[in-house]
Amino acid sequence: MSGASLSRRPARFFVDVFESGDEPRCGGSARLSAEDWHHARRVLRLRQGDAVELVCAGAPGRVWEGRVDDIGHSPLIRLVRVLEEPASWGMRILLVQGIPALPKVDDIIDKGTQVGVDEFVLIAAEASPSGAIDKAESRLERWRRISREAAKQSRQPAVPAVTLAQRPDDLIRRLVQEVWWSLVLDPAADVSLADALRLRGCEWGSQGTVRRFAVWVGPEGGWASDELSLFLGAGIGTARLGRRILRAETAGPVAAAVIRFAVGDW
């Protein structure tokens, strides 16, 4: 019997090295990274001929069926057919997270990726720990690994990017240029996140007008008053997540799940 369990869906990997050139094609081969191959052999116990799923790093949303073609030290996966094409519509979610105590970021990246955050931007807020950006810089590669592993485990169509931002005004300009609709989570807001989504036409199955949604979550203690004034001056609205006050490491992933569910993209 094959080493892969017949009762489970094939494992998913993200690849960017193809034997047939820069573009994947049926009959071509892809090469797993050394880290992925170690996991495939030692943990998943894949054998030659076993099925896997592949997503090309440069073509998010397209999922390939592959077969293990070589179990040696230079692992190759043969591309059999395309299983999924990118969705014709869909909302992209960007989580702007005011940097909390750094160990909490691990959970934010892990859980946020699992529920469908497409990009994380960590920003130094007034209530963030002293030297937050410099300290976060040293952990950036760790967080990117967490994002990649969570994307594989939860079968995401792409690996979310994880970046840092020093100044909120610079980030606001970027999001405006890229046509993101921003909303700041604030427990004191008059409108709930669910109501804010409905006002923008983001309802179940509506495929509403919003394609890019940036949700801003403060660190422990929330956003400072001058930060909220900056957001207001930039035309960014506020919304409360619900009746309950969630921890900084919980609010972002929960908000992303609410958004995905609200538009029927869960």
Side-chain angles (χ1 to χ4, degrees):
M1 180 181 289
S2 166
S5 171
L6 296 178
S7 63
R8 299 178 181 175
R9 287 184 61 181
R12 178 168 296 191
F13 296 97
F14 295 91
V15 296
D16 52 16
V17 178
F18 297 92
E19 298 300 296
S20 54
D22 294 334
E23 295 296 329
R25 61 175 178 80
C26 290
S29 296
R31 192 179 296 273
L32 297 184
S33 68
E35 182 180 0
D36 280 345
W37 188 239
H38 180 271
H39 182 74
R41 292 194 66 183
R42 303 301 183 187
V43 180
L44 300 178
R45 299 188 180 278
L46 295 182
R47 299 290 185 264
Q48 189 161 348
D50 282 347
V52 297
E53 293 180 358
L54 299 179
V55 178
C56 172
R62 176 172 292 166
V63 182
W64 288 82
E65 177 189 340
R67 295 282 171 174
V68 178
D69 210 26
D70 183 350
I71 58 173
H73 296 293
S74 181
L76 290 176
I77 306 294
R78 178 169 47 86
L79 301 178
V80 177
R81 63 190 177 101
V82 174
L83 293 174
E84 300 175 23
E85 290 286 4
S88 59
W89 78 281
M91 178 184 286
R92 289 183 55 79
I93 298 176
L94 184 153
L95 174 57
V96 182
Q97 175 67 58
I99 300 174
L102 294 185
K104 296 184 177 182
V105 178
D106 290 16
D107 281 339
I108 293 169
I109 302 297
D110 181 22
K111 303 303 188 290
T113 297
Q114 290 184 48
V115 298
V117 173
D118 297 290
E119 182 178 352
F120 298 88
V121 179
L122 302 167
I123 191 166
E126 288 192 22
S128 293
S130 176
I133 284 291
D134 291 339
K135 294 175 182 177
E137 184 74 41
S138 66
R139 298 197 181 203
L140 198 52
E141 288 308 312
R142 168 187 173 84
W143 293 332
R144 287 170 176 164
R145 287 195 299 272
I146 290 174
S147 170
R148 187 180 183 89
E149 291 306 309
K152 287 194 296 185
Q153 181 273 324
S154 57
R155 315 186 80 82
Q156 300 299 331
V159 178
V162 183
T163 60
L164 303 177
Q166 181 75 49
R167 294 167 52 89
D169 49 352
D170 291 338
L171 179 57
I172 289 170
R173 281 192 289 271
R174 175 209 148 181
L175 298 183
V176 169
Q177 291 172 354
E178 296 179 0
V179 198
W180 291 84
W181 175 40
S182 285
L183 197 64
V184 173
L185 292 189
D186 178 10
D190 294 330
V191 65
S192 70
L193 175 58
D195 287 340
L197 290 167
R198 281 193 290 270
L199 290 171
R200 291 298 295 258
C202 301
E203 297 181 289
W204 182 271
S206 66
Q207 302 181 16
T209 58
V210 178
R211 291 292 178 269
R212 295 183 174 189
F213 190 110
V215 58
W216 295 62
V217 177
E220 299 98 332
W223 300 107
S225 58
D226 58 340
E227 290 170 328
L228 291 172
S229 296
L230 173 65
F231 300 145
L232 180 62
I236 300 176
T238 60
R240 64 181 184 277
L241 192 52
R243 296 190 303 272
R244 299 165 181 83
I245 306 297
L246 302 184
R247 296 184 184 275
E249 66 270 29
T250 309
V254 168
V258 169
I259 295 165
R260 290 283 179 209
F261 185 80
V263 300
D265 188 24
W266 181 246

